[in-house]
Amino acid sequence: MIILGVDPGLTRCGVGVIEAGAHRRLSFIHVDVVRSSPDMSQDLRLLAIYNGLVEKIETYAPDTVSIERVFAQSNRNTVLGTAQAAGLAMLAAAQRNIPVALHTPTEAKLAITGNGHAQKIQIERMVTRILNLNTMPTPADAADALALAICHALRPAGALQGGEREEHLTPAQRQWAEASKKATKRRFNADRGM
Amino acid sequence: MIILGVDPGLTRCGVGVIEAGAHRRLSFIHVDVVRSSPDMSQDLRLLAIYNGLVEKIETYAPDTVSIERVFAQSNRNTVLGTAQAAGLAMLAAAQRNIPVALHTPTEAKLAITGNGHAQKIQIERMVTRILNLNTMPTPADAADALALAICHALRPAGALQGGEREEHLTPAQRQWAEASKKATKRRFNADRGM
């Protein structure tokens, strides 16, 4: 199963591709950053990001696209561009009938380090170790994209069924399920107003 | 000159099309709302809105697409979906080399009523009068899309040159230029963080 992770952004949009094999064995395929220049008008920036994402999706033909879930509470200065870039990634996947998974940064941190509040450097080190890389993936936003792909591959089985099977979860899986439920609730509240 | 106005939204995205002829004579061409169901997943909702906008743009072949500029300060519950819908409208235009204009709600209100704080009903009445319609356009979000198209057609000449020609502007045009400068400044500040 090929998973393409997207760390959305208008100036730098991280893309990381991994393969998830049997026994949760993960291997590295590709990492890159799709860019648009802040000197361009917003419509041309969005076109550049969209075209870059389409190229990646068509090259690596993922089975799932795993995108960071953006919240309105995020950094005010960048949140709209980030939401728009995430929207373009969703569009590019939906146009090709590729399922989309949204994961919060907390979910990604939990899945990779077991700690939902892990620092950037811890994420980078664990991504490097999990994927058996010799050096840390660069640039840093690319590591975040790989983390989102890994997060989707390693998600606990219970994460898909919501709270039903919580009694069977390990403590880490329970933490995950709680973070996931919280995110779903926030999304539900946000969607109600739309 | 054909202008297609977009009042962005994920549940309801207003589209209004007008023709701007000689002597600022404006005529009505089309008004509609592109919808997506809140029951669908977010990626499929974005795909539905994008496909609807592409159909409108290909049918009416506008010379300019005039879209409401979205601010992070807007309603928290809907701002991300609104920003994503605006992003899709920009993408659909940019893919067809159609210039995009972004106008703030204040600019649209000023252009149509001479009052940047006009109420919705005043906007609807003036849109109806300006376009010589027998009845008010429905639904209301469709009127907003027409207002954005009209706003672009009626923008004062000085609005394009920034502050350079301010001494030649009428009081209404000066108000407009100030609102426009303020919006540009906010956008500049927002872009710096991206």
Side-chain angles (χ1 to χ4, degrees):
Chain A
M1 186 191 189
I2 308 286
I3 304 170
L4 187 147
V6 177
D7 179 32
L10 192 53
T11 301
R12 310 168 62 77
C13 188
V15 175
V17 189
I18 64 167
E19 177 156 20
H23 311 297
R24 299 199 163 191
R25 191 195 158 92
L26 306 182
S27 37
F28 171 84
I29 295 182
H30 176 75
V31 70
D32 199 4
V33 172
V34 174
R35 293 173 174 83
S36 84
S37 163
D39 298 334
M40 291 158 70
S41 63
Q42 201 183 346
D43 55 323
L44 296 182
R45 297 187 73 180
L46 292 168
L47 181 62
I49 295 293
Y50 174 80
N51 286 344
L53 290 172
V54 164
E55 196 197 317
K56 295 298 180 192
I57 290 174
E58 299 207 328
T59 303
Y60 297 100
D63 298 288
T64 299
V65 175
S66 175
I67 307 168
E68 184 179 310
R69 189 189 292 282
V70 183
F71 291 107
Q73 293 83 350
S74 310
N75 184 343
R76 265 198 181 180
N77 287 337
T78 57
V79 68
L80 297 188
T82 305
Q84 287 175 334
L88 298 182
M90 285 185 241
L91 174 71
Q95 286 174 320
R96 289 159 186 81
N97 286 314
I98 301 170
V100 166
L102 300 177
H103 292 290
T104 67
T106 304
E107 282 173 1
K109 286 173 186 172
L110 256 177
I112 286 166
T113 66
N115 169 8
H117 303 286
Q119 300 297 307
K120 230 177 171 53
I121 183 72
Q122 293 173 280
I123 305 287
E124 288 169 37
R125 279 192 193 129
M126 281 306 293
V127 165
T128 309
R129 195 181 301 174
I130 292 168
L131 297 178
N132 287 311
L133 301 174
N134 292 323
T135 55
M136 285 205 241
T138 53
D141 19 11
D144 288 343
L146 286 170
L148 282 156
I150 295 169
C151 161
H152 187 71
L154 297 183
R155 73 198 181 285
L160 292 179
Q161 284 85 37
E164 296 169 314
R165 299 178 45 200
E166 261 175 55
E167 66 278 16
H168 304 298
L169 301 181
T170 66
Q173 286 176 330
R174 197 166 297 123
Q175 258 189 291
W176 171 301
E178 275 159 23
S180 180
K181 261 201 296 191
K182 218 164 135 188
T184 309
K185 201 171 154 200
R186 281 161 87 182
R187 186 166 65 109
F188 176 72
N189 288 336
D191 281 350
R192 282 175 64 196
M194 279 179 193
Chain B
M1 186 188 187
I2 308 287
I3 305 170
L4 186 147
V6 177
D7 179 31
L10 191 52
T11 301
R12 308 169 61 79
C13 188
V15 174
V17 188
I18 63 166
E19 175 156 22
H23 311 295
R24 300 201 164 190
R25 192 196 157 91
L26 306 183
S27 37
F28 170 84
I29 295 182
H30 177 75
V31 71
D32 200 2
V33 172
V34 175
R35 293 173 173 83
S36 84
S37 162
D39 298 333
M40 294 159 70
S41 63
Q42 201 183 345
D43 55 324
L44 295 183
R45 298 187 72 181
L46 292 169
L47 180 62
I49 295 293
Y50 173 80
N51 287 344
L53 289 172
V54 163
E55 195 197 318
K56 294 298 181 191
I57 290 175
E58 298 204 331
T59 303
Y60 297 100
D63 298 287
T64 299
V65 176
S66 175
I67 308 167
E68 185 179 307
R69 188 190 293 285
V70 183
F71 292 107
Q73 292 83 351
S74 309
N75 184 343
R76 265 197 181 181
N77 288 336
T78 57
V79 67
L80 297 188
T82 306
Q84 287 175 335
L88 298 182
M90 285 186 240
L91 175 70
Q95 286 174 318
R96 289 157 185 83
N97 287 314
I98 301 171
V100 166
L102 300 177
H103 292 289
T104 67
T106 304
E107 282 173 359
K109 287 173 185 172
L110 256 176
I112 286 166
T113 66
N115 170 8
H117 303 284
Q119 301 296 308
K120 232 177 171 51
I121 183 71
Q122 294 175 281
I123 306 287
E124 287 169 36
R125 280 195 193 127
M126 280 306 293
V127 164
T128 309
R129 194 180 303 173
I130 291 169
L131 296 178
N132 287 310
L133 302 174
N134 291 325
T135 55
M136 285 206 240
T138 53
D141 19 11
D144 288 344
L146 285 170
L148 282 156
I150 295 170
C151 161
H152 187 71
L154 296 184
R155 73 199 182 283
L160 292 178
Q161 285 85 37
E164 294 169 316
R165 297 179 45 202
E166 262 176 55
E167 67 278 15
H168 303 299
L169 302 182
T170 65
Q173 287 175 331
R174 194 167 298 123
Q175 257 189 293
W176 172 300
E178 274 159 24
S180 179
K181 260 201 297 190
K182 217 166 137 187
T184 309
K185 201 172 155 198
R186 281 160 88 182
R187 185 167 66 110
F188 175 73
N189 288 335
D191 282 350
R192 281 174 65 197
M194 281 179 190

